[in-house]
Amino acid sequence: MKATIISDKDFQTDLFRNLFEKIIVYFDSKGIETKTISIGRNDLAFCMGCFGCWVKKPGECVMNDMMSQINRNFINSDVVVYLSPVIFGQFSANIKNAIDRWLPNILPFFIKRPDDSTMHPSRYKQYPYVIVVGYGEDISDEDAQLFIDITKKHRNNTEVLIYKGDDEDISQELDKITLRKAGGYL
Amino acid sequence: MKNIILIDSSPKINEKSVSGYLIEKAARRIDDQTANKNFINIRQSFTGHKIQEDYKILINADAVIIAFPLYIFCLPGILMRFLQDYYQFYLENKTKSTNPKVYALVNCGFPEPEINLEAVRVIGSFCRHVNANFRFGIMIGCGGMLLGAEGKPVIKKAVEKLDNAFAEIANDIQNNDTEKKYNILVETMNFPEWIFRFLMNKFGWASNAKKNRLKKKDLYRGPYLL
Ligand SMILES: Cc1cc2nc3c(=O)[nH]c(=O)nc-3n(C[C@H](O)[C@H](O)[C@H](O)COP(=O)(O)O)c2cc1C
């Protein structure tokens, strides 16, 4: 099994290092091969909303930077973990750039979810299971709930955890997750 | 004279954006006699290295109107960068801060305006962090229609509703109302959603692809699978 861990180079606090270490050790103990990618301020251009990844160069961003490697890794992983500081209840800018530019991995067409909301179909048959961990020393309850809503409300096959430094908790939470490829339902 | 900052946060480059359209419309509702209007285009500010100048304007604002598109159900990376760095600027310049009123204009590609709610909440959280007074958001479904069908009867209702919503912002800026305000939802389509899906799926994307000399089947490529 292969995992990719994506983190923010600009927020590598003690708390982050502790969390990162925990996850590496956990994956090691399961015999999972882990690749780590850390994104700095100048590593990724902002998405420019051109939809070239759908109608010009289908499946790929028209800008050439570290993102093609991240997307290639994403698609070929069984599990992807995003470690993001919680900022205003959302992902940090570095992590958000990677999430925006994930768009090439889905198709442009519009379909409906069972709850009648709109979504885009998958481009690939298989996607990794996604675990998003929001971390920070003093995340308010309101911001934590917002981070959970943003991550969970419109996605399937995604788990979200909040880490404020409680190690016991994070191991227990990870143990509850079945690590596997997620299929094609996004 | 109120000092009002209008921010177009569309990440688009050299392309007309819905956010730009919304900012322009909202600005027209604000009386020049009572307000001094300052415009910021985040994309242009990043390109032109003007961000620090923008922050100095922002910290003196009486009201801020932020327009942006929904990107993967929350704020685009470029706006997150702008706000995240502003927070640092704010921490260093706290004493100068003016507790401005803040409004969010969020538009998305899908027809459902309510999916913009979390993005509006992020602006609310930002305001709590920088001692600003978040008032309310305008959430717009299928924002692209506003540009695609500009001046056409299909969006007449939506444009009227938007105009009223902008009038509400203009009023709220001027009065001393502290009462909580609710977000305003605007649907741009006056026809069933399935028609929109059908047209886009059958013709919309394929015709865009054709302009780039691609066939419809090319849209399904999967370049990253090893
Ligand atoms: C990377 C990316 C992600 C997007 N994510 C969403 C989304 O989650 N939901 C949605 O309805 N529209 C989404 N959209 C569509 C935009 O919100 C829509 O095209 C909007 O009208 C663009 O506004 P602008 O012209 O102000 O940039 C996304 C577009 C891009 C480029």
Side-chain angles (χ1 to χ4, degrees):
Chain A
M1 202 163 2
K2 281 192 196 148
T4 301
I5 304 178
I6 299 172
S7 65
D8 187 330
K9 213 185 262 175
D10 299 340
F11 286 84
Q12 312 237 323
T13 55
D14 287 346
L15 187 93
F16 166 81
R17 276 187 285 275
N18 206 24
L19 167 68
F20 186 72
E21 177 89 20
K22 270 258 154 332
I23 292 176
I24 295 277
V25 168
Y26 181 80
F27 281 171
D28 262 359
S29 76
K30 301 263 168 195
I32 298 171
E33 188 190 320
T34 308
K35 187 176 168 78
T36 61
I37 298 173
S38 122
I39 303 169
R41 200 182 172 87
N42 299 315
D43 289 332
L44 294 180
F46 302 118
C47 172
M48 53 182 179
C50 70
F51 294 114
C53 59
W54 284 351
V55 298
K56 235 184 203 158
K57 214 175 156 192
E60 292 172 87
C61 182
V62 300
M63 296 185 285
N64 224 337
D65 59 15
M66 186 174 150
M67 200 57 219
S68 39
Q69 181 213 335
I70 298 176
N71 275 335
R72 187 179 297 274
N73 247 289
F74 183 95
I75 292 302
N76 292 288
S77 295
D78 301 287
V79 178
V80 171
V81 184
Y82 291 95
L83 302 178
S84 177
V86 175
I87 300 182
F88 316 136
Q90 199 192 286
F91 307 99
S92 64
N94 288 341
I95 297 293
K96 190 62 203 333
N97 284 334
I99 291 179
D100 291 350
R101 292 185 55 201
W102 169 92
L103 198 74
N105 298 326
I106 53 176
L107 292 176
F109 310 108
F110 298 101
I111 54 174
K112 283 279 190 180
R113 290 184 191 280
D115 71 357
D116 213 36
S117 62
T118 310
M119 70 178 284
H120 296 294
S122 54
R123 181 177 292 280
Y124 298 94
K125 285 208 181 76
Q126 295 273 344
Y127 286 80
Y129 190 80
V130 173
I131 302 170
V132 178
V133 189
Y135 65 89
E137 260 102 27
D138 39 28
I139 307 169
S140 68
D141 290 349
E142 213 168 350
D143 280 0
Q145 189 56 52
L146 178 50
F147 191 82
I148 292 167
D149 289 346
I150 285 174
T151 313
K152 290 283 284 186
K153 242 175 110 173
H154 311 277
R155 280 188 189 86
N156 285 293
N157 294 312
T158 304
E159 192 50 69
V160 54
L161 310 173
I162 298 286
Y163 180 74
K164 299 191 209 177
D166 189 336
D167 295 338
E168 193 99 336
D169 239 35
I170 199 87
S171 310
Q172 274 179 11
E173 292 295 331
L174 284 170
D175 264 333
K176 281 190 216 149
I177 301 170
T178 318
L179 300 172
R180 58 180 160 85
K181 270 243 189 246
Y185 188 45
L186 294 167
Chain B
M1 215 50 172
K2 298 267 189 202
N3 198 11
I4 301 179
I5 322 293
L6 296 109
I7 308 179
D8 170 1
S9 321
S10 172
K12 283 180 181 163
I13 300 175
N14 300 331
E15 196 185 329
K16 205 165 159 52
S17 72
V18 180
S19 302
Y21 164 96
L22 295 170
I23 284 294
E24 207 179 288
K25 284 254 177 189
R28 243 182 266 159
R29 273 278 163 192
I30 297 165
D31 190 350
D32 289 319
Q33 307 286 309
T34 57
N36 184 7
K37 290 178 249 183
N38 271 294
F39 294 85
I40 292 175
N41 176 305
I42 290 190
R43 172 61 84 176
Q44 284 168 14
S45 287
F46 274 109
T47 313
H49 307 286
K50 270 178 70 267
I51 301 290
Q52 289 302 315
E53 270 169 60
D54 292 346
Y55 290 169
K56 283 179 199 148
I57 298 174
L58 263 178
I59 205 135
N60 286 313
D62 295 307
V64 181
I65 302 176
I66 309 182
F68 62 93
L70 190 69
Y71 268 26
I72 322 278
F73 300 103
C74 47
L75 275 55
I78 198 169
L79 178 55
M80 249 347 247
R81 166 74 74 235
F82 185 86
L83 299 182
Q84 199 174 300
D85 289 354
Y86 178 75
Y87 180 49
Q88 287 312 314
F89 179 90
Y90 164 80
L91 292 176
E92 289 153 21
N93 296 275
K94 250 184 192 172
T95 48
K96 296 185 204 145
S97 146
T98 44
N99 186 234
K101 290 183 174 177
V102 176
Y103 308 83
L105 316 178
V106 195
N107 95 91
C108 65
F110 293 165
E112 307 92 308
E114 64 276 13
I115 61 172
N116 294 307
L117 180 62
E118 284 74 36
V120 172
R121 286 166 64 197
V122 172
I123 299 297
S125 171
F126 165 73
C127 290
R128 288 194 296 279
H129 283 83
V130 300
N131 184 36
N133 175 8
F134 180 70
R135 297 295 291 151
F136 59 94
I138 302 178
M139 310 196 278
I140 303 153
C142 203
M145 286 283 288
L146 295 170
L147 296 183
E150 203 171 354
K152 303 224 166 75
V154 270
I155 56 161
K156 190 162 168 257
K157 270 229 169 80
V159 171
E160 273 169 23
K161 190 159 184 194
L162 268 178
D163 228 29
N164 289 335
F166 293 147
E168 209 163 307
I169 291 182
N171 272 333
D172 195 73
I173 289 173
Q174 294 299 340
N175 67 32
N176 294 321
D177 203 355
T178 52
E179 193 185 314
K180 191 183 152 26
K181 290 271 192 171
Y182 292 96
N183 296 321
I184 299 169
L185 282 85
V186 181
E187 283 177 43
T188 53
M189 284 187 283
N190 68 350
F191 51 87
E193 271 180 35
W194 70 264
I195 297 179
F196 164 75
R197 285 200 307 279
F198 174 79
L199 292 175
M200 282 306 287
N201 291 349
K202 188 134 176 82
F203 308 109
W205 297 113
S207 88
N208 272 312
K210 210 172 160 189
K211 281 183 210 145
N212 299 312
R213 288 188 290 277
L214 294 175
K215 300 216 166 63
K216 187 165 181 190
K217 74 168 197 309
D218 293 326
L219 299 182
Y220 294 88
R221 283 178 195 158
Y224 288 137
L225 202 58
L226 293 179

